């Protein structure tokens, strides 16, 4: 109850602090907001081609059956590593699309339940992994970086480690 009240008051308090600080420092807060909003719109326009390209690539990846083929090909390795085959689609889709991953987690939760081992594994994976390609597109695209150097490799390695640790921690904590 107290946390809910604090949560409900947080955003109005932040606005109040900004307005009071602006008044104390004699800054025209609304004019500064409008000026920076213009900059945000130009950033959106700059990253739009990259985002459209990413969305098309995701659609092609899923519609072509490449995701299903990848899941089928990696099932034996996943079995050896103790990764349930039901979570493989999430492991491959999470770095690409957050919304598709969320829909997949919802389906898995409906099928297996949130308190099942599979439900716990996908919950842990969802919280400990990242939408790598979307993040790279937005953040690097917004500042105009085209050479991502070693970022993608490091992010994919971290993603693999997160998937493995999610499974192993859930197996250790809750059993399989």
């Amino acid at each position: 109850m107290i946390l809910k009240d604090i949560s409900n008051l947080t955003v109005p308090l932040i606005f109040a602090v900004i307005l009071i600080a602006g008044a104390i420092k004699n800054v025209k807060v609304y004019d500064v907001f409008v000026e920076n909003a213009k900059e945000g719109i130009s950033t959106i326009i700059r990253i739009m081609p990259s985002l459209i390209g990413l969305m098309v690539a995701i659609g092609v990846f899923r519609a072509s059956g490449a995701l299903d083929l990848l899941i089928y090909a990696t099932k034996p390795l996943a079995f050896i590593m103790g990764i349930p085959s039901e979570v493989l689609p999430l492991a491959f889709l999470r770095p690409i699309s957050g919304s598709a991953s969320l829909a997949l987690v919802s389906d898995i939760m409906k099928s297996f339940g949130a308190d099942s081992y599979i439900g716990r594994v996908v919950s842990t994976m969802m919280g400990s992994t990242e939408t790598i390609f979307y993040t790279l597109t937005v953040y690097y695209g917004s500042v105009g970086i085209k050479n991502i150097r070693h970022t993608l490799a490091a992010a994919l390695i971290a993603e693999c480690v997160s998937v493995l640790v999610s499974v192993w921690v859930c197996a250790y904590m809750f059993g399989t």
Side-chain angles (χ1 to χ4, degrees):
M1 186 68 175
I2 292 173
L3 288 177
K4 185 178 179 182
D5 292 338
I6 291 172
S7 177
N8 288 337
L9 292 175
T10 301
V11 172
L13 283 175
I14 290 172
F15 281 112
V17 167
I18 290 170
L19 292 173
I20 291 169
I24 291 172
K25 293 186 175 189
N26 200 19
V27 174
K28 295 180 179 176
V29 177
Y30 184 74
D31 292 342
V32 171
F33 169 77
V34 169
E35 189 63 34
N36 287 312
K38 289 178 189 173
E39 189 176 313
I41 289 172
S42 69
T43 300
I44 290 170
I45 291 170
R46 195 172 46 241
I47 67 171
M48 190 62 71
S50 301
L51 280 176
I52 291 171
L54 179 66
M55 299 299 172
V56 170
I58 291 168
V60 169
F61 182 65
R62 293 182 69 192
S64 68
L67 178 63
D68 296 332
L69 184 64
L70 187 63
I71 291 167
Y72 179 76
T74 55
K75 273 187 180 178
L77 180 63
F79 178 76
I80 292 170
M81 299 180 89
I83 301 172
S85 61
E86 295 86 355
V87 303
L88 282 178
L90 180 63
F92 291 117
L93 203 56
R94 178 68 173 148
I96 300 169
S97 172
S99 58
S101 300
L102 195 56
L104 189 60
V105 167
S106 177
D107 286 345
I108 291 172
M109 292 291 186
K110 286 178 186 170
S111 298
F112 296 96
D115 291 332
S116 67
Y117 174 68
I118 301 295
R120 289 176 174 152
V121 170
V122 295
S123 297
T124 307
M125 283 175 58
M126 195 68 179
S128 60
T129 55
E130 178 58 52
T131 54
I132 297 169
F133 293 100
Y134 176 79
T135 304
L136 286 176
T137 300
V138 170
Y139 291 118
Y140 279 20
S142 68
V143 292
I145 295 174
K146 294 185 178 178
N147 184 2
I148 59 174
R149 298 181 50 106
H150 307 293
T151 306
L152 181 60
L156 289 174
I157 290 169
E159 185 82 8
C160 290
V161 170
S162 296
V163 167
L164 289 174
V165 171
S166 296
V167 171
W168 293 340
V169 164
C170 287
Y172 179 76
M173 296 290 289
F174 307 111
T176 55

